[in-house]
Amino acid sequence: MIKFTILLRRHKDISHEDFVWYHKNNHAPLFASLTEVKENVRRYVQCHSLDVTMPGLPAPQYDRITELWFDDVESIGKVFNAKPYLELIRPDEEKFLDLHGCGFIISIENPVIYKFG
């Protein structure tokens, strides 16, 4: 399984609270509605930052992490190069994201500790 992690920074004109609300209630359902997403994304998780500082560490640089799982790298392109993504989702992202301030990594997970319950 391939994991696409996107580190997102909110648009400077949007509060953190409005950013989280929009991302959960508008952007996520819109993204999940695409046929290409339904066919290729195996898991989609949003992680929104908390207002917490850690001693000795700099302030967080990102407001959110999106995690998307795919069967293979080619499937990522099937979603993010698709015409519906480019015509619907990309303009929506521009409403609330600082697209040039975002980062990403494509990886394979190596679970070290896995506890639930």
Side-chain angles (χ1 to χ4, degrees), residues 58-77:
Q61 296 181 30
Y62 301 100
D63 298 284
R64 172 177 78 87
I65 298 171
T66 291
E67 298 174 315
L68 300 163
W69 283 261
F70 296 87
D71 289 333
D72 49 46
V73 173
E74 292 76 24
S75 295
I76 297 170

Side-chain angles (χ1 to χ4, degrees), residues 59-98:
Q61 296 181 30
Y62 301 100
D63 298 284
R64 172 177 78 87
I65 298 171
T66 291
E67 298 174 315
L68 300 163
W69 283 261
F70 296 87
D71 289 333
D72 49 46
V73 173
E74 292 76 24
S75 295
I76 297 170
K78 290 177 184 176
V79 171
F80 291 92
N81 291 322
K83 187 175 180 179
Y85 174 83
L86 296 171
E87 291 179 352
L88 249 110
I89 305 304
R90 181 50 53 94
D92 188 60
E93 291 171 339
E94 293 171 356
K95 293 177 184 177
F96 71 104
L97 292 175
D98 170 7

Side-chain angles (χ1 to χ4, degrees), residues 23-72:
H23 183 243
K24 286 181 178 180
N25 297 294
N26 286 76
H27 185 73
L30 182 63
F31 179 74
S33 73
L34 297 185
T35 299
E36 293 80 7
V37 170
K38 292 175 185 175
E39 292 175 350
N40 293 286
V41 175
R42 301 297 169 230
R43 187 171 186 219
Y44 172 20
V45 175
Q46 296 178 340
C47 304
H48 297 95
S49 65
L50 300 175
D51 188 18
V52 176
T53 57
M54 300 297 293
L57 294 177
Q61 296 181 30
Y62 301 100
D63 298 284
R64 172 177 78 87
I65 298 171
T66 291
E67 298 174 315
L68 300 163
W69 283 261
F70 296 87
D71 289 333
D72 49 46

